[in-house]
Coordinates of all heavy atoms in Angstrom, one line a residue:
E1233 N 5.8 -6.3 -7.4 CA 6.0 -7.2 -8.5 C 4.8 -7.7 -9.1 O 4.7 -7.9 -10.4 CB 6.9 -8.3 -8.1 CG 8.3 -7.9 -7.6 CD 9.1 -9.1 -7.1 OE1 8.6 -10.2 -7.0 OE2 10.3 -8.9 -6.8
N1234 N 3.7 -8.0 -8.3 CA 2.5 -8.7 -8.8 C 1.3 -7.8 -8.7 O 0.2 -8.3 -8.7 CB 2.3 -10.0 -8.1 CG 3.5 -10.9 -8.3 OD1 4.1 -11.0 -9.4 ND2 3.9 -11.7 -7.3
G1235 N 1.4 -6.5 -8.4 CA 0.3 -5.7 -8.2 C -0.5 -5.5 -9.5 O -1.7 -5.1 -9.4
K1236 N 0.0 -5.8 -10.6 CA -0.7 -5.6 -11.9 C -1.7 -6.7 -12.1 O -2.6 -6.6 -13.0 CB 0.3 -5.7 -13.1 CG 1.1 -6.9 -13.1 CD 2.1 -6.9 -14.3 CE 3.0 -8.2 -14.3 NZ 4.0 -8.2 -15.4
Y1237 N -1.8 -7.7 -11.3 CA -2.7 -8.8 -11.4 C -4.0 -8.6 -10.5 O -4.8 -9.5 -10.4 CB -2.1 -10.1 -11.1 CG -1.0 -10.5 -12.1 CD1 0.3 -10.5 -11.7 CD2 -1.3 -10.7 -13.4 CE1 1.3 -10.8 -12.6 CE2 -0.3 -11.0 -14.3 CZ 1.0 -11.1 -13.9 OH 2.1 -11.4 -14.8
I1238 N -4.0 -7.5 -9.7 CA -5.2 -7.2 -8.9 C -5.8 -5.9 -9.4 O -5.1 -5.1 -10.0 CB -4.8 -7.2 -7.4 CG1 -3.8 -6.1 -7.2 CG2 -4.3 -8.5 -6.9 CD1 -3.4 -5.9 -5.7
P1239 N -7.1 -5.7 -9.1 CA -7.7 -4.4 -9.5 C -7.0 -3.2 -8.9 O -6.3 -3.3 -7.9 CB -9.2 -4.6 -9.0 CG -9.4 -6.0 -8.9 CD -8.0 -6.6 -8.5
R1240 N -7.3 -2.1 -9.5 CA -6.7 -0.8 -9.1 C -7.1 -0.5 -7.7 O -6.2 0.0 -6.9 CB -7.1 0.3 -10.1 CG -6.4 1.6 -9.8 CD -6.9 2.7 -10.8 NE -6.5 2.3 -12.1 CZ -5.3 2.5 -12.7 NH1 -4.4 3.1 -12.1 NH2 -5.1 2.1 -14.0
Q1241 N -8.3 -0.7 -7.3 CA -8.8 -0.4 -6.0 C -8.0 -1.2 -4.9 O -7.6 -0.7 -3.9 CB -10.3 -0.5 -5.8 CG -10.8 -0.1 -4.5 CD -12.3 -0.4 -4.4 OE1 -13.0 -0.8 -5.3 NE2 -12.9 0.0 -3.2
S1242 N -7.9 -2.5 -5.2 CA -7.1 -3.4 -4.3 C -5.7 -2.9 -4.2 O -5.1 -2.9 -3.1 CB -7.2 -4.8 -4.7 OG -8.6 -5.2 -4.8
F1243 N -5.1 -2.6 -5.3 CA -3.7 -2.1 -5.2 C -3.6 -0.8 -4.4 O -2.6 -0.6 -3.6 CB -3.2 -1.9 -6.7 CG -1.8 -1.4 -6.7 CD1 -0.7 -2.2 -6.6 CD2 -1.5 0.0 -6.9 CE1 0.6 -1.7 -6.7 CE2 -0.2 0.5 -7.0 CZ 0.8 -0.4 -6.9
A1244 N -4.5 0.1 -4.6 CA -4.5 1.4 -3.9 C -4.7 1.2 -2.4 O -4.0 1.9 -1.6 CB -5.5 2.3 -4.5
M1245 N -5.5 0.2 -2.0 CA -5.7 0.0 -0.6 C -4.4 -0.6 0.0 O -4.1 -0.1 1.1 CB -6.9 -1.0 -0.4 CG -8.2 -0.5 -0.8 SD -9.5 -1.8 -0.7 CE -9.4 -2.4 1.0
R1246 N -3.8 -1.5 -0.6 CA -2.5 -2.0 -0.1 C -1.4 -1.0 0.0 O -0.6 -0.9 0.9 CB -2.1 -3.2 -0.9 CG -3.1 -4.5 -0.7 CD -2.8 -5.5 -1.7 NE -3.6 -6.7 -1.4 CZ -4.9 -6.9 -1.7 NH1 -5.6 -5.9 -2.2 NH2 -5.5 -8.0 -1.4
K1247 N -1.4 -0.2 -1.1 CA -0.3 0.9 -1.1 C -0.6 1.9 -0.1 O 0.3 2.5 0.6 CB -0.3 1.5 -2.5 CG 0.8 2.5 -2.7 CD 0.9 3.0 -4.1 CE 2.1 4.0 -4.3 NZ 2.2 4.4 -5.7
H1248 N -1.9 2.2 0.2 CA -2.2 3.1 1.2 C -1.8 2.6 2.6 O -1.4 3.4 3.5 CB -3.8 3.4 1.2 CG -4.2 4.4 2.2 ND1 -4.6 4.0 3.5 CD2 -4.4 5.7 2.2 CE1 -5.0 5.0 4.2 NE2 -4.9 6.1 3.5
Y1249 N -2.0 1.3 2.8 CA -1.6 0.7 4.1 C -0.1 0.9 4.4 O 0.4 1.1 5.5 CB -2.0 -0.7 4.1 CG -1.4 -1.5 5.3 CD1 -2.0 -1.3 6.6 CD2 -0.4 -2.3 5.2 CE1 -1.5 -2.0 7.7 CE2 0.2 -3.0 6.3 CZ -0.4 -2.9 7.5 OH 0.1 -3.6 8.6
F1250 N 0.7 0.7 3.3 CA 2.2 0.8 3.5 C 2.7 2.2 3.4 O 3.6 2.6 4.2 CB 2.8 -0.1 2.4 CG 2.7 -1.5 2.5 CD1 2.0 -2.3 1.6 CD2 3.2 -2.2 3.7 CE1 1.9 -3.7 1.7 CE2 3.0 -3.5 3.8 CZ 2.4 -4.3 2.9
N1251 N 2.2 3.0 2.5 CA 2.9 4.3 2.1 C 2.1 5.5 2.5 O 2.5 6.6 2.0 CB 3.2 4.3 0.6 CG 4.5 3.5 0.3 OD1 4.8 2.5 1.0 ND2 5.2 3.9 -0.7
H1252 N 1.0 5.5 3.2 CA 0.3 6.7 3.5 C 1.2 7.6 4.3 O 1.9 7.2 5.2 CB -1.0 6.4 4.2 CG -1.9 7.6 4.3 ND1 -1.9 8.4 5.5 CD2 -2.8 8.2 3.5 CE1 -2.8 9.4 5.3 NE2 -3.3 9.3 4.1
A1253 N 1.1 8.9 4.0 CA 2.0 9.9 4.7 C 1.8 10.0 6.2 O 2.8 10.3 6.9 CB 1.9 11.3 4.0
E1254 N 0.6 9.7 6.7 CA 0.3 9.9 8.1 C 0.1 8.6 8.8 O 0.5 8.4 10.0 CB -0.9 10.8 8.3 CG -0.8 12.2 7.7 CD -2.0 13.0 7.9 OE1 -3.0 12.5 8.4 OE2 -2.0 14.2 7.6
T1255 N -0.6 7.6 8.2 CA -0.9 6.3 8.8 C -0.2 5.1 8.2 O -0.5 4.0 8.6 CB -2.4 6.1 8.8 OG1 -2.9 6.1 7.4 CG2 -3.1 7.2 9.5
G1256 N 0.6 5.4 7.2 CA 1.3 4.2 6.5 C 2.2 3.5 7.4 O 2.8 4.1 8.4
F1257 N 2.4 2.2 7.2 CA 3.2 1.4 8.0 C 4.7 1.8 8.0 O 5.3 1.9 9.0 CB 3.1 -0.1 7.6 CG 3.9 -1.0 8.4 CD1 3.4 -1.6 9.6 CD2 5.2 -1.4 8.1 CE1 4.1 -2.5 10.4 CE2 6.0 -2.3 8.8 CZ 5.4 -2.8 10.0
F1258 N 5.2 2.1 6.8 CA 6.6 2.5 6.6 C 6.9 3.9 7.2 O 8.0 4.2 7.4 CB 7.0 2.4 5.2 CG 7.0 1.0 4.6 CD1 6.6 0.8 3.3 CD2 7.3 -0.1 5.4 CE1 6.6 -0.5 2.8 CE2 7.3 -1.4 4.9 CZ 7.0 -1.6 3.6
K1259 N 5.8 4.7 7.4 CA 6.0 6.0 7.9 C 5.9 6.1 9.5 O 6.5 6.9 10.1 CB 5.0 7.0 7.3 CG 5.4 7.4 5.9 CD 6.6 8.2 5.8 CE 6.9 8.8 4.5 NZ 8.1 9.7 4.5
T1260 N 5.0 5.3 10.0 CA 4.7 5.3 11.4 C 5.5 4.4 12.3 O 5.8 4.7 13.5 CB 3.2 5.0 11.7 OG1 2.9 3.7 11.2 CG2 2.3 6.1 11.0
V1261 N 5.9 3.3 11.8 CA 6.7 2.3 12.6 C 8.1 2.6 12.6 O 8.8 2.8 11.5 CB 6.4 0.9 12.0 CG1 7.3 -0.1 12.8 CG2 5.0 0.5 12.1
K1262 N 8.7 2.8 13.8 CA 10.1 3.1 14.0 C 10.6 2.1 15.0 O 10.2 2.0 16.1 CB 10.3 4.5 14.5 CG 9.8 5.6 13.6 CD 10.4 5.6 12.3 CE 9.9 6.8 11.4 NZ 10.5 6.8 10.1

């Protein structure tokens, strides 16, 4: 909802933490 208020690099880092195909939180945590 509020990712548009932070720089693109900061948004990409947070999205990488959640959605990365190999190390993302939503992919690895079961």
Side-chain angles (χ1 to χ4, degrees):
E1233 296 177 353
N1234 302 321
K1236 59 184 179 180
Y1237 298 111
I1238 60 177
R1240 185 180 299 275
Q1241 183 181 0
S1242 301
F1243 178 83
M1245 291 173 58
R1246 289 165 172 80
K1247 186 174 181 180
H1248 180 272
Y1249 170 77
F1250 288 119
N1251 279 31
H1252 191 263
E1254 297 180 356
T1255 61
F1257 182 88
F1258 294 144
K1259 284 293 187 179
T1260 58
V1261 177
K1262 302 297 182 182

